Amino acid sequence: GWACWKMYLNRPETDGVRCNAMGILGSTLRSNRRPEEALPVLEANFALRLRYFPHQKQSMLNSQTNLACCLDDLGRCDEALLLRREVFARRMAINGVSHEETIVSGSNLVVSLLNFRCWDEARQLLRDPLLPAARRSL
């Protein structure tokens, strides 16, 4: 993570490789159980993507997903739930319900909903769009 970041740090903010290196650093910190250090890196990465690369919709959604996972790690589950709702809605709009990434995002949302004891909403999400789409995709 750090070696990758140091390699590309001097490139301009608009450089996609620099942005990717920042994302790798944030993901590496998080996977090494250092979410407190990962969060500002992942937030900065998302802000850069939003500012300079908004047309790269899948990368934006991946960045938001990483941010939601980090927020979960930090116990900020309410913020993570909001991000997961947004990611799922955008993936539905961009990819459709049968796309693998949409199904994964929907499953992540269901887990977050269950953590908040939103049983009916989780059941509805699983029953209506996700399970039929997953069955068709197999």
Side-chain angles (χ1 to χ4, degrees):
W2 283 110
C4 181
W5 173 242
K6 287 178 182 178
M7 173 81 81
Y8 300 108
L9 173 64
N10 293 327
R11 290 186 178 208
E13 279 190 351
T14 57
D15 186 279
V17 175
R18 181 183 191 269
C19 189
N20 288 339
M22 183 185 286
I24 290 168
L25 173 59
S27 295
T28 302
L29 288 169
R30 185 181 161 265
S31 68
N32 286 318
R33 296 189 178 117
R34 295 164 60 184
E36 298 85 6
E37 296 173 65
L39 183 62
V41 176
L42 293 171
E43 288 174 330
N45 180 254
F46 180 65
L48 274 179
R49 290 189 183 284
L50 194 59
R51 184 172 183 183
Y52 297 114
F53 308 102
H55 57 284
Q56 296 178 355
K57 299 199 184 310
Q58 298 300 334
S59 294
M60 292 284 298
L61 294 171
N62 292 339
S63 182
Q64 280 184 288
T65 299
N66 290 338
L67 192 52
C69 291
C70 190
L71 289 167
D72 267 337
D73 292 345
L74 292 167
R76 294 167 58 179
C77 301
D78 52 338
E79 295 171 75
L81 177 61
L82 292 174
L83 279 176
R84 291 190 197 288
R85 285 183 192 279
E86 186 175 332
V87 168
F88 178 66
R90 287 188 179 175
R91 288 210 191 272
M92 286 277 288
I94 294 168
N95 300 325
V97 70
S98 296
H99 192 275
E100 179 182 356
E101 292 294 326
T102 304
I103 294 169
V104 170
S105 293
S107 299
N108 290 339
L109 176 56
V110 166
V111 170
S112 289
L113 289 167
L114 291 174
N115 289 337
F116 276 94
R117 300 189 186 318
C118 298
W119 315 118
D120 292 338
E121 188 177 355
R123 187 178 311 114
Q124 177 89 22
L125 184 59
L126 270 175
R127 188 178 298 154
D128 291 339
L130 290 180
L131 285 179
R135 285 185 186 121
R136 284 191 304 271
S137 297
L138 296 176

